[in-house]
Every structure is written in structure tokens, then in C-alpha cells.
Amino acid sequence: MTTVPAAPARAAGMPSAADLLPLVERVPALAAPCRHHREEAAIELAVEEWALRSFPELYPARLQAARFGEMASRAFPETKAPEVILFGQWLVWLFVFDDLRDDGPLGWDEAAVDRLYDAVLSSCDTVPPLDAHPVVRAFRDLWSRTAPRAGASWRAMFRVHLAEHRAACRYEARFRSTRRLPSPNEYAHLRRQANGSFLFDLPEPVLGSELPGELRTSGPWRDLLSACNDVTAWCNDVASAAKESARGDVHNYVLVLAHDQGVSLAAAAAEVLDRIAARIDDLTAAARALPAEFARLDLSKAAARDASKVAMVLLGAPRGHLEWLLESSRYA
């Protein structure tokens, strides 16, 4: 019998992480529990210490209770602890930046978002001043420890995905400031970029695997990354619907569908679950297409083995993320 963690209680009538539970029985790919890193406690502690040091005023108790180190532990149960810690720190950076935009005036000011992200991107090439925004300084720290672990092709793709995230942050600010709701199709595309596509590039340097550039840009590999991205983003939307609804933020798939179709939040959440299940099928299909792609590209055994390691992390991400959503108090 499959066991899953208990979910936090939800507000009456609002979707919550508990609504994701039927997926465990419904989708075979989500049935098996994740393994945890044997050094999970130390990983969690190291991630939290870095977060508190990097964001002394931007890391409230709500984020401290989110347990990002445990999410990293599930993603990389067999990887050396320093690399798992690095991934956990990247998770912290993304969530701190998201909360900075979601919970304050920054997220409503397109120009301010653009200026901050310009400083973030500039820090890839130059050390920011000591008085730079904490988000910029923390990014520089992470980038300086991650980029040397990867090749030029990876660094180029990572920057492309950073630019997409920047554009999505700007669009979200524009939608908020003009109080316009995106259509479901607009939202799905925007959500994938706002979810941090660059995060799904990180298994390569964390694992010490370098994908050939032609594989990274191939159809099956892009399908794998986009499906994994969509599944985790949409699961997050079900869990966070109450939070976003309470603060009047429309950037949530459940809320967008409910408005577009004129249905209840419960009905919209049920449709999001259907779409999540379909995207997990897409994720599995993309993974099954990889051996043929390896052969087409005439990859060496070593390259195919490295790519398979990364693919396994992406295949396991939805279950790990689901468990984290059910255990974490972030959306309680």
C-alpha cells in the first residue's frame, strides 16, 4: 500500500495540497515514494544557514518552515551532499525572489522587476557591489559555484532560461498592474517560464553530467524538461490557490480556469488535476523517446549514461515535489 505524508489543513471550500492526493493512485508514475538522502538533516541545516546568511531580512519563518533542503534531498538521494546543498540553495533563491515579487509592490512594477533582473543577469559577468540587492548577491554566489561545473553549451542554455524567467516576471507585473487575467493558453506558457525553467537545467552540474549540445536542444529533451516543469508548476498552483486567491493574485492555473470557464474553484482544480495527469503521460513518453534520440545522435555510452542520469532526476521530480507540497508548511 502506498503511503503519502499528511497534508496541511485547508481553508473551507478552497483547493489545497490535499487535493493532489488522488494523483498518487491515479498516475502510476507517482505511486512509488521518493528516497531521501542519508545526510538529509545536514543538508537541510546547511541550506537554511546559507538562506539566513544570504537573506537576513527576506527569509521569514514561513520560508524557513518550507524545508527546501528536504526537497533537494528527495531530488538527489545518492549525490554527494555538497552538490545537493547547492541545489537546495538554488531552490531558496527562486522562492525568495518569487515571494519578493508576489508579496510586495515589486511584483506590480514592471520597470522595477526589469531593473532588478538586469542586475541579476549582470552578476553573471561582474561581481556586484556590496550594497547590491541581496537577491543579486546571492545569485552571484550561486552562479560562481555552479557555472564552473558546466560547459559553454550549458551556460548558454541556462542564460536563455534566465532571460525567459525575466520576461515572465515582467509579464506577471504587467498583468497585475493592469488587472488583466491571462487566458488559459497565455497562462500555461507564462507559468512554465515563471516557474524557473533554469531550475531544470541544474541536474547537469549537480550530477557532474555534461549533455551534448545537440541533445539539449533536441525535441525529446525539450519535451522532457517542459513536461516536468508543467507538472511541478501546476501541482504548486493547486496547493497555493488559497494563498493567491486571498491576496487577489490571478497568477494561478486554478483561478485562471475558474474565471475563464465560469466554474467553481473545485471544478477548476479537478481540471488542473486532469491536465497534470496528461502531462505526466507526456513526461513518460518523452523519456521513452530518449534511447532512439541517443542512437540518432550517435552518443557515446558515457554521454548516454550521463543523459539518462539527468532524465531519471526529472522523472522523479513530480513525486518528490508532491511529497514536499504535502509535508511543507509553506502553503498551510
Side-chain angles (χ1 to χ4, degrees), residues 86-94 139 142-143 146 158 202:
L86 177 61
F87 182 72
Q89 292 166 345
W90 273 109
L91 290 172
V92 168
W93 185 88
L94 179 61
F139 179 89
L142 294 171
W143 176 254
T146 305
F158 194 82
L202 289 170

Side-chain angles (χ1 to χ4, degrees), residues 182-220:
S183 69
N185 287 340
E186 282 179 313
Y187 179 79
H189 177 72
L190 179 68
R191 185 67 175 96
R192 183 182 301 165
Q193 295 182 340
N195 196 41
S197 299
F198 59 87
L199 202 67
F200 301 89
D201 297 324
L202 289 170
E204 288 184 58
V206 169
L207 293 170
S209 300
E210 180 71 16
L211 300 186
E214 60 269 29
L215 174 63
R216 189 179 291 109
T217 58
S218 69

Side-chain angles (χ1 to χ4, degrees), residues 55-171:
F55 305 106
E57 298 180 0
L58 298 176
Y59 202 65
R62 174 170 53 81
L63 279 177
Q64 294 176 40
R67 307 196 305 218
F68 296 112
E70 292 184 13
M71 193 197 302
S73 164
R74 287 185 169 97
F76 300 96
E78 296 181 349
T79 306
K80 292 181 179 179
E83 284 73 28
V84 184
I85 291 168
L86 177 61
F87 182 72
Q89 292 166 345
W90 273 109
L91 290 172
V92 168
W93 185 88
L94 179 61
F95 277 82
V96 167
F97 187 56
D98 280 353
D99 280 7
L100 187 65
R101 295 184 303 107
D102 293 345
D103 297 341
L106 178 69
W108 295 70
D109 188 337
E110 183 179 354
V113 168
D114 203 39
R115 286 193 299 271
L116 180 56
Y117 221 115
D118 187 55
V120 168
L121 295 178
S122 296
S123 74
C124 290
D125 303 310
T126 59
V127 178
L130 292 177
D131 62 350
H133 195 286
V135 164
V136 177
R137 294 199 309 270
F139 179 89
R140 173 65 186 188
D141 173 41
L142 294 171
W143 176 254
S144 68
R145 291 186 284 126
T146 305
R149 301 176 57 84
S153 173
W154 181 90
R155 292 194 296 271
M157 182 60 72
F158 194 82
R159 287 193 183 219
V160 167
H161 289 155
L162 282 172
E164 291 177 351
H165 186 244
R166 176 188 193 174
C169 293
R170 291 179 57 189
Y171 274 110

Side-chain angles (χ1 to χ4, degrees), residues 36 69 74 125 130 153 179 191 220 234 251 266 299 306:
H36 293 242
R74 287 185 169 97
D125 303 310
L130 292 177
S153 173
R179 299 190 181 279
R191 185 67 175 96
W234 300 351
H251 292 100
L299 297 191
D306 277 356

